[in-house]
Amino acid sequence: MVLLLTNYGFHVSFWLYFLLAIIWLILTICGSGLIQWNYHVKSLNSSSGIKKNQVAITFDDGPNPEFTPLVLKLLKKYNAKATFFCVGKHIEAYPDLVKNCINEGHSIGNHTYSHPNSFGFLSTEKVISELQQTNAIAKSVVGVDLKLYRPAFGVTNPRIKRALKVTGLQSIGWSIRSLDTTSRSSDKVLKRITKKLYKGDIILLHDTSLKTIVVLEQLLLFLQQQNIESVTIDSLFKIKAYA
């Protein structure tokens, strides 16, 4: 009888630990891919305590010589400000576009140097290198030390957390992921953004396609009609974009 109870207790303990391990694994995987969870890294995803009727429009993956100028033209037309999270190699290739973003009152941030698909699997040293390289390029092009960082694909993990501690960058997430890089139509992307838009929201877009340009103009018109101001991330959170 004692032996049976012992074996029973062993099996219960085994399956309990196994279940806990599975739950931990699921939470870790989801937490690594869902930036709003702040599972590994504390990111700024929205400004819930804001009193002003403001949101922040952000653009990832640029600058792009075909579409970034169109974005800038629309932002100027509607007197809106935005934050561009730039890929280092694109800053290198199109320095004048980055200068135009700064000169027109927008902010820029770090979005890694090469934005590899494997970014979530890179070593801490490689992540640090990617971030430092982009900051060095931005410093040489526009003379600023970037403080804001948008994780590639929104992925975070302990290695990225350590890299941010070394580089001193602040992770910026989002509260509205537009999915403008998917096959969804511009109307569906716009509806996804506007159907539950609140003050303090951070909107994720990409200055890399004509569809986003179409969405952006309709979004800016919507914000104008709703008396909502689009501001930079640093303005929304009252923080510094540059050191």
Short mmCIF file of all heavy atoms in Angstrom, two decimals, residues 74-98:
data_model
loop_
_atom_site.label_atom_id
_atom_site.label_comp_id
_atom_site.label_asym_id
_atom_site.label_seq_id
_atom_site.Cartn_x
_atom_site.Cartn_y
_atom_site.Cartn_z
N LEU A 74 2.16 63.77 -47.02
CA LEU A 74 0.84 63.68 -46.40
C LEU A 74 0.86 64.21 -44.97
O LEU A 74 -0.08 64.91 -44.54
CB LEU A 74 0.36 62.23 -46.40
CG LEU A 74 -0.15 61.68 -47.74
CD1 LEU A 74 -0.48 60.20 -47.62
CD2 LEU A 74 -1.39 62.46 -48.20
N LEU A 75 1.88 63.89 -44.23
CA LEU A 75 1.99 64.38 -42.85
C LEU A 75 2.02 65.91 -42.83
O LEU A 75 1.39 66.55 -41.98
CB LEU A 75 3.24 63.81 -42.18
CG LEU A 75 3.23 62.30 -41.91
CD1 LEU A 75 4.59 61.85 -41.40
CD2 LEU A 75 2.15 61.93 -40.90
N LYS A 76 2.74 66.48 -43.78
CA LYS A 76 2.82 67.94 -43.87
C LYS A 76 1.46 68.53 -44.25
O LYS A 76 1.03 69.56 -43.70
CB LYS A 76 3.88 68.34 -44.89
CG LYS A 76 4.13 69.83 -44.96
CD LYS A 76 5.30 70.13 -45.89
CE LYS A 76 5.62 71.61 -45.91
NZ LYS A 76 6.78 71.91 -46.82
N LYS A 77 0.78 67.88 -45.17
CA LYS A 77 -0.53 68.35 -45.63
C LYS A 77 -1.53 68.42 -44.48
O LYS A 77 -2.33 69.36 -44.39
CB LYS A 77 -1.05 67.42 -46.73
CG LYS A 77 -2.45 67.76 -47.23
CD LYS A 77 -2.89 66.77 -48.29
CE LYS A 77 -4.32 67.05 -48.75
NZ LYS A 77 -4.78 66.08 -49.79
N TYR A 78 -1.49 67.45 -43.59
CA TYR A 78 -2.45 67.39 -42.49
C TYR A 78 -1.86 67.88 -41.16
O TYR A 78 -2.46 67.68 -40.10
CB TYR A 78 -2.97 65.95 -42.33
CG TYR A 78 -3.91 65.54 -43.44
CD1 TYR A 78 -3.42 64.94 -44.60
CD2 TYR A 78 -5.27 65.79 -43.36
CE1 TYR A 78 -4.27 64.57 -45.64
CE2 TYR A 78 -6.13 65.42 -44.38
CZ TYR A 78 -5.62 64.82 -45.52
OH TYR A 78 -6.47 64.45 -46.54
N ASN A 79 -0.69 68.49 -41.24
CA ASN A 79 -0.04 69.07 -40.06
C ASN A 79 0.09 68.02 -38.94
O ASN A 79 -0.22 68.28 -37.78
CB ASN A 79 -0.83 70.28 -39.55
CG ASN A 79 -0.04 71.09 -38.54
OD1 ASN A 79 1.19 71.15 -38.59
ND2 ASN A 79 -0.74 71.71 -37.60
N ALA A 80 0.55 66.84 -39.33
CA ALA A 80 0.70 65.73 -38.37
C ALA A 80 2.18 65.40 -38.19
O ALA A 80 2.99 65.62 -39.09
CB ALA A 80 -0.05 64.50 -38.88
N LYS A 81 2.51 64.88 -37.03
CA LYS A 81 3.88 64.44 -36.75
C LYS A 81 3.88 62.93 -36.51
O LYS A 81 2.89 62.36 -36.07
CB LYS A 81 4.44 65.16 -35.53
CG LYS A 81 4.46 66.69 -35.65
CD LYS A 81 5.25 67.16 -36.86
CE LYS A 81 5.21 68.68 -36.98
NZ LYS A 81 5.85 69.14 -38.23
N ALA A 82 5.03 62.31 -36.79
CA ALA A 82 5.13 60.86 -36.66
C ALA A 82 6.53 60.47 -36.22
O ALA A 82 7.44 61.31 -36.16
CB ALA A 82 4.78 60.18 -37.98
N THR A 83 6.69 59.20 -35.92
CA THR A 83 8.00 58.67 -35.54
C THR A 83 8.37 57.56 -36.52
O THR A 83 7.57 56.66 -36.78
CB THR A 83 7.98 58.11 -34.11
OG1 THR A 83 7.58 59.16 -33.21
CG2 THR A 83 9.36 57.60 -33.71
N PHE A 84 9.59 57.66 -37.06
CA PHE A 84 10.07 56.69 -38.04
C PHE A 84 11.13 55.81 -37.40
O PHE A 84 12.19 56.31 -36.99
CB PHE A 84 10.67 57.41 -39.25
CG PHE A 84 9.67 58.18 -40.07
CD1 PHE A 84 9.25 59.45 -39.67
CD2 PHE A 84 9.14 57.64 -41.24
CE1 PHE A 84 8.34 60.17 -40.43
CE2 PHE A 84 8.22 58.35 -41.99
CZ PHE A 84 7.81 59.62 -41.58
N PHE A 85 10.84 54.52 -37.29
CA PHE A 85 11.83 53.57 -36.77
C PHE A 85 12.60 53.01 -37.96
O PHE A 85 12.06 52.21 -38.74
CB PHE A 85 11.15 52.48 -35.94
CG PHE A 85 10.64 53.00 -34.63
CD1 PHE A 85 9.31 53.39 -34.50
CD2 PHE A 85 11.50 53.16 -33.55
CE1 PHE A 85 8.84 53.90 -33.29
CE2 PHE A 85 11.04 53.65 -32.34
CZ PHE A 85 9.71 54.04 -32.21
N CYS A 86 13.83 53.48 -38.09
CA CYS A 86 14.60 53.27 -39.31
C CYS A 86 15.57 52.09 -39.20
O CYS A 86 16.20 51.89 -38.16
CB CYS A 86 15.38 54.52 -39.66
SG CYS A 86 14.35 55.99 -39.89
N VAL A 87 15.70 51.37 -40.29
CA VAL A 87 16.70 50.31 -40.40
C VAL A 87 18.04 50.96 -40.74
O VAL A 87 18.11 51.78 -41.65
CB VAL A 87 16.28 49.29 -41.48
CG1 VAL A 87 17.37 48.24 -41.68
CG2 VAL A 87 14.96 48.63 -41.10
N GLY A 88 19.08 50.58 -40.01
CA GLY A 88 20.38 51.23 -40.16
C GLY A 88 20.92 51.26 -41.58
O GLY A 88 21.42 52.28 -42.06
N LYS A 89 20.81 50.13 -42.28
CA LYS A 89 21.35 50.09 -43.64
C LYS A 89 20.58 50.99 -44.59
O LYS A 89 21.11 51.46 -45.60
CB LYS A 89 21.40 48.66 -44.16
CG LYS A 89 20.06 47.98 -44.35
CD LYS A 89 20.25 46.56 -44.87
CE LYS A 89 18.91 45.86 -45.12
NZ LYS A 89 19.11 44.48 -45.62
N HIS A 90 19.31 51.28 -44.25
CA HIS A 90 18.53 52.20 -45.07
C HIS A 90 18.89 53.66 -44.75
O HIS A 90 18.84 54.51 -45.65
CB HIS A 90 17.03 51.97 -44.85
CG HIS A 90 16.57 50.62 -45.31
ND1 HIS A 90 15.38 50.07 -44.91
CD2 HIS A 90 17.15 49.70 -46.11
CE1 HIS A 90 15.24 48.87 -45.46
NE2 HIS A 90 16.31 48.63 -46.19
N ILE A 91 19.22 53.92 -43.50
CA ILE A 91 19.72 55.26 -43.15
C ILE A 91 21.01 55.53 -43.93
O ILE A 91 21.22 56.62 -44.46
CB ILE A 91 20.00 55.38 -41.64
CG1 ILE A 91 18.73 55.15 -40.83
CG2 ILE A 91 20.61 56.75 -41.31
CD1 ILE A 91 18.95 55.15 -39.33
N GLU A 92 21.85 54.51 -44.02
CA GLU A 92 23.11 54.59 -44.74
C GLU A 92 22.88 54.88 -46.21
O GLU A 92 23.57 55.70 -46.82
CB GLU A 92 23.85 53.25 -44.61
CG GLU A 92 25.25 53.34 -44.09
CD GLU A 92 25.84 51.96 -43.83
OE1 GLU A 92 25.19 50.94 -44.10
OE2 GLU A 92 26.98 51.92 -43.33
N ALA A 93 21.89 54.20 -46.78
CA ALA A 93 21.62 54.31 -48.21
C ALA A 93 20.88 55.59 -48.59
O ALA A 93 21.09 56.13 -49.68
CB ALA A 93 20.83 53.09 -48.69
N TYR A 94 20.02 56.09 -47.69
CA TYR A 94 19.19 57.25 -48.01
C TYR A 94 19.27 58.30 -46.90
O TYR A 94 18.26 58.63 -46.26
CB TYR A 94 17.73 56.81 -48.22
CG TYR A 94 17.60 55.62 -49.13
CD1 TYR A 94 17.22 54.37 -48.62
CD2 TYR A 94 17.87 55.72 -50.49
CE1 TYR A 94 17.11 53.26 -49.45
CE2 TYR A 94 17.77 54.63 -51.34
CZ TYR A 94 17.39 53.40 -50.80
OH TYR A 94 17.30 52.30 -51.62
N PRO A 95 20.44 58.85 -46.67
CA PRO A 95 20.60 59.80 -45.56
C PRO A 95 19.75 61.06 -45.69
O PRO A 95 19.29 61.60 -44.69
CB PRO A 95 22.10 60.14 -45.61
CG PRO A 95 22.51 59.84 -47.02
CD PRO A 95 21.68 58.67 -47.43
N ASP A 96 19.52 61.51 -46.91
CA ASP A 96 18.72 62.73 -47.10
C ASP A 96 17.29 62.55 -46.64
O ASP A 96 16.66 63.51 -46.16
CB ASP A 96 18.75 63.17 -48.57
CG ASP A 96 20.10 63.74 -48.98
OD1 ASP A 96 20.87 64.13 -48.07
OD2 ASP A 96 20.40 63.80 -50.19
N LEU A 97 16.75 61.35 -46.79
CA LEU A 97 15.38 61.09 -46.33
C LEU A 97 15.29 61.19 -44.81
O LEU A 97 14.32 61.73 -44.28
CB LEU A 97 14.92 59.69 -46.78
CG LEU A 97 14.52 59.53 -48.24
CD1 LEU A 97 14.10 58.10 -48.52
CD2 LEU A 97 13.39 60.49 -48.60
N VAL A 98 16.30 60.69 -44.14
CA VAL A 98 16.33 60.77 -42.67
C VAL A 98 16.43 62.23 -42.24
O VAL A 98 15.76 62.66 -41.30
CB VAL A 98 17.50 59.95 -42.10
CG1 VAL A 98 17.51 60.03 -40.58
CG2 VAL A 98 17.40 58.50 -42.54
#
